[in-house]
Amino acid sequence: MYMLHMNMDTFKKQTKNINTVIIPIGMIEAHGPHCPLGTDILIPNKFCGIIEGTIGNNVIIAPEINYGHSWALSVYPGTINISTEAFSKYVEEVALGFISNGFKNIILLNGHGGNISALTRVCEVIADKSGVAVLINWWVDFKDEILKITDGQGHAGEDETSTVLAIDEALVDMTKATSNEVTPKGKIYFKDFGKIIYKDGLSGDATKATKEKGEKIYEAVSAKIIELIRNVQNNKYY
Ligand SMILES: [Zn+2]
C-alpha cells in the first residue's frame, strides 16, 4: 500500500496489522549518455510496483528518497551528490520516524552503489533501536540471478539499461549506448577516478541491453525480494 495515497486514519488503521515499510532509495546521477538521471530510483520504484501487486496488503510503501551519495560520478552533469554523513543522518531520521510510528521491519530498497556504506550505518542504528533493518542492493544481492540473464553488469551497463528499457523504452537513447570495460585493480581511489573508471558516465556494455532482459530481471529479482520480505515478516533472519 502506498503511503502517499493514505490519510491519517487509514494509515493508523492499516498499521495496526502491517509492521513492514519499504523505503525506495536511489540517486539523481549521470548514467551514461543513454540512460536517465533518475535510473537509480526508477528501478526501485518499479520493484515496489511489483511488490504492491503481489504482497501489497502486507507492506506499506513509503515515498522514495531520491538524493544520495556519489563521489565518483559527481564529475558528470546531473549528479546531485549529498555527503555520506548528511545522507546517512537523513535516512536514519526517516527510518526512526517509521519506528516511532510502530513499524518493526524497515526495508531499504536501494538502487545506487554509492549509498551502500551510509545505508549500512542506518541499518545498524535501526537494529540498535530494536527494529529489524533489511538493506537490499538489488544488483549486488541478486547478482547470480541477473547473470543468468545478462552477460555482464555495470553502472548504466547491460543489466541496468535493460531494467530501464523494461520500464519504458522511451527513457533510453540506445543510439548513444556504448561500453566501457575499464575496472580498477582493487579498492584504489585516485584523482579523476570517475572520469577514468566511469568513462562517459558508465561501466559495462550497454549495447547488449534489451527490454526483454530487463523484464526477466524484474521477474527473477522481484521473486527473491518478496521471498526475503516474507522471511523477515516470519522472523526468519538466518
Ligand atoms: Zn545506477
Side-chain angles (χ1 to χ4, degrees), residues 31-35 152-162 165 172-174 176-181 202-210 213:
H31 273 80
H34 61 292
C35 273
Q153 293 187 283
H155 174 82
E158 185 182 350
D159 56 340
E160 205 174 37
T161 303
S162 295
L165 285 168
V172 183
D173 185 349
M174 283 302 285
K176 291 183 177 171
T178 54
S179 79
N180 168 34
E181 303 293 350
L202 85 151
S203 65
D205 189 351
T207 65
K208 291 183 178 172
T210 66
K213 287 177 186 172

Side-chain angles (χ1 to χ4, degrees), residues 29 31 39-40 111-112 155-156 160:
E29 179 189 55
H31 273 80
T39 291
D40 287 352
H112 172 63
H155 174 82
E160 205 174 37

Side-chain angles (χ1 to χ4, degrees), residues 47-116:
F47 281 121
C48 283
I50 297 166
I51 292 164
E52 171 71 7
T54 48
I55 55 167
N57 288 336
N58 294 316
V59 294
I60 300 288
I61 299 172
E64 69 270 41
I65 295 174
N66 281 309
Y67 299 99
H69 176 67
S70 174
W71 170 73
L73 274 294
S74 61
V75 293
Y76 293 105
T79 299
I80 307 298
N81 179 26
I82 308 300
S83 71
T84 291
E85 293 78 8
F87 172 66
S88 170
K89 191 68 186 160
Y90 180 71
V91 181
E92 176 188 317
E93 296 202 6
V94 171
L96 293 180
F98 282 98
I99 297 274
S100 298
N101 271 273
F103 286 89
K104 177 184 168 202
N105 304 318
I106 313 289
I107 318 270
L108 306 178
L109 182 33
N110 178 42
H112 172 63
N115 290 347
I116 294 174

